[in-house]
Amino acid sequence: MIDLHSHILSALDDGAADVAASIEMARIAVGDGITHMACTPHVVPGKYENSVSTILPAMHTLQAMLDAQSIPLTLYCGADVHVAPDLVERLRDGEVPTLNRTRYFLLEPPHEILPPRLEDFANRLLESGFVPIITHPERLLWASRHFDVVQRLADLGCPLQLTADSLTGGFGAAARQLTERILNEGRASFFASDAHGVSWRKPVMSGARAMVAERFGQEVADQMFHDRPAAILADAEPSAVLPSSRRTAGAPASPGLARRLADRIFRADRIFRNG
Ligand SMILES: [Fe+2]
């Protein structure tokens, strides 16, 4: 499995408490079947002032530690980016990292209140050549009341990332219901752990993957826990990342496209990640 949303790096946000916790999180992830993980600390103006210059060195340092201990987890650079007025400029400048330097990045909308003109903001990002991945819409407190906004964001071409723990019940009944609604409507692109530590909110996704496989079939589970995340890391066209019902007419993804892209990136990933 590939996990594109984690707070495994220590001392940058509210994720791993220290380096020992980072390494333990990596061990838990590998034990669960996760082979590749994006390090995505919060980027919140005034609170977590992270940028490429803080995240990339921390990622390389942790990767060296994992390699030294023969923990087979490959890390990528990314960020969990909050809404900010100058975001397009900071993405363009390369100050705010996208996922593995691709067009895709994690956009975390505010939890409590639906920000005004969120769809316009997403549109502006898309027109600028970036693809905002909406993180855990099922956990946003406003999402059930304004579900039409979530639907329209997906319809605009923003991939929706669900949280594995939301499906298995770790975030309560409301989050689980919204997860199932998004899945049943065919609007989910992929799952991630959004792991923050070693006790609860761990980097574990196998339970959710089994539930998706049981309900929707193995192929859908592969897409949501491996193939689409791999396509994102390879900067593939959105047609390989979005669920089929959300693809624009005339842009169908060939069945094996995401898998072939996955093979290609994993052969080249060491080069890819040296930026
Ligand atoms: Fe997060």
Side-chain angles (χ1 to χ4, degrees):
M1 290 182 287
I2 300 173
D3 185 3
L4 293 187
H5 187 165
S6 81
H7 299 265
I8 190 172
L9 299 178
S10 62
L12 295 182
D13 63 5
D14 58 345
D18 50 31
V19 170
S22 298
I23 292 171
E24 182 58 20
M25 285 174 76
R27 285 191 200 282
I28 292 169
V30 168
D32 192 56
I34 294 167
T35 54
H36 298 72
M37 177 180 279
C39 307
T40 57
H42 292 291
V43 173
V44 186
K47 189 174 182 189
Y48 300 118
E49 299 278 4
N50 286 307
S51 66
V52 168
S53 59
T54 62
I55 299 167
L56 194 60
M59 184 209 84
H60 283 306
T61 300
L62 180 59
Q63 183 72 72
M65 290 178 186
L66 301 184
D67 292 349
Q69 299 192 37
S70 300
I71 300 171
L73 184 67
T74 303
L75 303 178
Y76 297 88
C77 186
D80 190 2
V81 184
H82 289 235
V83 172
D86 60 348
L87 183 54
V88 171
E89 289 73 28
R90 295 179 73 208
L91 285 162
R92 266 203 201 114
D93 293 345
E95 190 189 333
V96 171
T98 59
L99 289 166
N100 196 30
R101 296 199 300 159
T102 65
R103 76 193 80 181
Y104 300 94
F105 74 100
L106 301 183
L107 179 67
E108 178 166 342
H111 278 242
E112 279 82 19
I113 297 167
L114 169 62
R117 298 183 295 283
L118 181 60
E119 291 155 75
D120 291 347
F121 185 67
N123 238 334
R124 196 145 47 87
L125 287 157
L126 288 164
E127 284 168 1
S128 305
F130 296 101
V131 179
I133 295 165
I134 308 300
T135 62
H136 46 67
E138 82 282 3
R139 286 163 40 208
L140 303 174
L141 297 179
W142 51 264
S144 55
R145 252 182 311 127
H146 301 285
F147 194 71
D148 55 316
V149 175
V150 175
Q151 290 170 320
R152 286 199 297 274
L153 286 168
D155 293 347
L156 277 176
C158 300
L160 303 186
Q161 172 251 301
L162 300 174
T163 315
D165 276 353
S166 295
L167 183 60
T168 51
F171 286 99
R176 181 167 176 168
Q177 277 168 13
L178 270 189
T179 301
E180 292 184 349
R181 180 170 180 185
I182 292 167
L183 280 173
N184 289 335
E185 290 187 0
R187 285 190 157 88
S189 176
F190 68 97
F191 277 83
S193 75
D194 194 6
H196 276 66
V198 296
S199 48
W200 88 291
R201 302 191 70 179
K202 295 186 285 188
V204 163
M205 303 201 290
S206 57
R209 180 184 176 134
M211 289 173 71
V212 171
E214 189 181 337
R215 203 171 311 168
F216 299 97
Q218 193 61 48
E219 191 179 332
V220 172
D222 288 347
Q223 286 171 353
M224 291 190 175
F225 290 84
H226 181 274
D227 298 353
R228 289 182 188 140
I232 288 167
L233 291 176
D235 203 20
E237 291 296 320
S239 58
V241 171
L242 295 167
S244 54
S245 57
R246 306 269 75 79
R247 285 178 204 132
T248 52
S254 66
L257 175 63
R259 176 58 56 87
R260 289 201 302 278
L261 284 163
D263 292 344
R264 197 194 312 161
I265 187 173
F266 294 152
R267 281 199 299 275
D269 63 5
R270 294 281 166 176
I271 300 163
F272 234 89
R273 295 182 307 115
N274 277 342

